[in-house]
Amino acid sequence: MRITRGTRTKGTGTTPTTRTGRPRVPGGPDGRRMLLVALVDRTGSGLWASVSVLYFTYVSGLSLAQVGTLAALAGAVGIAGAPLGGRLADRFPLTRVLIALQLLRAVASLGLLTTDDYGLLLVFSALGGLGDRAASILTKLYATRVSGPDRVRYQALNRTAANAGWALGGLAAAGALAVGTTAAYRWLLLGDALSFVAVALLTLRCGQPPSPSRTVTATGTPAPTARPATPWRDRTYLAYVATETVLFLDDAVFKVGLPLCIAHSSDVPHGLAPLLMVLNNVMVVALQVPLARFGATTAAARTLLLPLSVAYALGGTALALSTAGGTRTAVALLTGAAVAFTLAEMLHATVSWELSVALAPGTAQGTYLGVHGLAQAAQRTIGPLTVTAALATGPAGWAVFGGGIALTCVIQHRTVRGRLSRPPLSVPPVTVSEH
């Protein structure tokens, strides 16, 4: 008899509610704790992300080239964090791996406080990047396992909590920047490090979710398992990940594209850039959970790829048209582009959460999600180059940019059709709690 460690989750096809009629958080107490983890984690990240360049410049005394190299190395090492974290989660208890990664992030942040030596700063930044990407993938994997058939709704709640955390951290960082002292910068970095310690302690209280890849017999001894599937030989999944890299380009639009459009326009006030970021955060917090219900099943998530393509095309068109006309027209079109790309961001998040899991075999979820994480990591490298090329090309560049992503949505819609139309090869094993 095969028994998987964890708790059994049974879907009912409807959203469960409490006795008061309020929607219940999928995953029970552990699900609620992980939402708190997301809030605390991203609050700490919000403290640091907005001031890291200033810290390295004014406190550590690094040159522009050194700061750029530091960020590039952290991003490059972070690419390896996604598949590494996923593979570890398929071989070891997920919560223990998550705790270890959060403590690694804490050590890396504290290390930055202890030195201004460039070599050591490179090492600590690389460790932080590795831990950040791996922890991000494993948090998603935990949500997948603990929430069962309600994983899309749970991920929407998780993303809402994370965006609220980013906003809180960003506001606190803005207050510290008003002070502008070296001590203020150091306190922000210390707050980031302490947030990782806090989330490690919160994760320690979470139960181990069910894992099809880690089984034990009724006597408690490890059960023999077949060799797990590998995503590196799965052409359909690799093709899906390749299209995901393109669909994640909305991130580069907000971080690089819109700010550069505003900076290079003589008609648009520079203060519009942070306002569009605020608009993005507010929309995600307000609409991510309601929109998630449109992708609650695998078939519905795949269908969302078609309206998603329209949102990307509209966003690219608005950016292309924003270069013509006066101040009011440019502001209106840039705001419209921000709304369109935020809508695309939320729809893609819903689609991506469901399809990345549905296309992965249960016995290798961690490994597959780790490879899926490469798409977002790779986008961080090619995204800035793509949007700057579109900006340099002019209106036609933005039209091709939006149209290209829209076409990729259609390609992904066809790519996954064959895999999702097949019946499941096996029934997941019955699970019991290890508490």
Side-chain angles (χ1 to χ4, degrees):
M1 177 180 178
R2 293 183 70 202
I3 302 175
T4 301
R5 293 184 182 274
T7 54
R8 184 169 185 170
T9 305
K10 185 176 181 181
T12 62
T14 60
T15 300
T17 59
T18 63
R19 292 182 179 179
T20 61
R22 292 176 298 179
R24 180 178 297 155
V25 175
D30 287 339
R32 290 192 293 272
R33 290 190 188 100
M34 290 306 291
L35 291 181
L36 182 58
V37 163
L39 177 67
V40 175
D41 186 334
R42 293 309 168 188
T43 299
S45 297
L47 290 175
W48 173 240
S50 57
V51 302
S52 59
V53 171
L54 299 176
Y55 177 89
F56 289 129
T57 300
Y58 297 117
V59 179
S60 297
L62 303 184
S63 66
L64 180 62
Q66 287 176 317
V67 173
T69 302
L70 201 70
L73 179 64
V77 175
I79 292 177
L84 176 62
R87 185 161 181 81
L88 288 174
D90 279 338
R91 302 185 64 181
F92 302 101
L94 178 54
T95 52
R96 295 178 189 175
V97 179
L98 259 175
I99 291 169
L101 289 171
Q102 300 294 8
L103 293 178
L104 173 65
R105 297 169 76 191
V107 169
S109 294
L110 289 173
L112 294 174
L113 274 173
T114 64
T115 183
D116 290 330
D117 179 79
Y118 188 58
L120 290 175
L121 291 176
L122 285 172
V123 172
F124 291 131
S125 294
L127 289 175
L130 181 74
D132 179 70
R133 295 311 307 154
S136 177
I137 291 299
L138 297 198
T139 301
K140 176 181 178 180
L141 180 59
Y142 188 97
T144 297
R145 291 178 176 175
V146 78
S147 57
D150 289 327
R151 59 177 175 256
V152 171
R153 180 171 175 271
Y154 182 83
Q155 288 281 14
L157 290 169
N158 184 280
R159 193 161 188 266
T160 300
N163 272 267
W166 274 111
L168 290 173
L171 289 173
L177 287 177
V179 178
T181 63
T182 298
Y185 285 113
R186 294 189 182 277
W187 277 110
L188 289 174
L189 182 51
L190 180 61
D192 184 37
L194 292 178
S195 73
F196 300 140
V197 175
V199 296
L201 293 174
L202 287 170
T203 306
L204 190 62
R205 298 184 59 196
C206 293
Q208 184 64 29
S211 170
S213 61
R214 299 187 65 252
T215 61
V216 295
T217 64
T219 61
T221 58
T225 58
R227 184 176 181 180
T230 171
W232 300 110
R233 296 179 182 178
D234 189 332
R235 294 182 179 179
T236 299
Y237 200 83
L238 291 177
Y240 164 70
V241 172
T243 58
E244 283 286 88
T245 303
V246 179
L247 267 56
F248 275 119
L249 285 174
D250 59 80
D251 182 66
V253 170
F254 282 98
K255 290 183 177 178
V256 180
L258 284 170
L260 282 180
C261 283
I262 294 169
H264 286 77
S265 173
S266 57
D267 296 324
V268 180
H270 290 180
L272 181 63
L275 291 178
L276 293 182
M277 289 296 295
V278 171
L279 174 64
N280 172 265
N281 271 323
V282 170
M283 285 184 65
V284 171
V285 171
L287 299 176
Q288 185 69 75
V289 174
L291 285 176
R293 71 176 185 270
F294 295 108
T297 66
T298 302
R302 177 174 174 263
T303 301
L304 273 184
L305 284 166
L306 300 180
L308 174 60
S309 68
V310 176
Y312 278 124
L314 289 175
T317 301
L319 285 174
L321 295 175
S322 68
T323 58
T327 298
R328 291 184 179 181
T329 300
V331 169
L333 287 170
L334 287 173
T335 302
V339 170
F341 278 110
T342 300
L343 179 61
E345 175 188 339
M346 292 185 289
L347 291 177
H348 177 233
T350 299
V351 173
S352 181
W353 293 331
E354 178 61 25
L355 295 188
S356 61
V357 175
L359 293 170
T363 55
Q365 277 183 345
T367 304
Y368 269 70
L369 290 181
V371 171
H372 179 261
L374 290 174
Q376 197 164 14
Q379 184 279 141
R380 293 186 176 188
T381 300
I382 68 172
L385 298 176
T386 304
V387 296
T388 51
L391 178 63
T393 308
W398 284 122
V400 171
F401 177 84
I405 307 179
L407 177 61
T408 305
C409 291
V410 177
I411 293 172
Q412 185 178 112
H413 186 269
R414 294 181 60 84
T415 298
V416 304
R417 179 178 58 184
R419 174 75 66 85
L420 297 179
S421 63
R422 300 174 190 169
L425 298 179
S426 61
V427 178
V430 175
T431 61
V432 298
S433 174
E434 69 175 2
H435 295 301

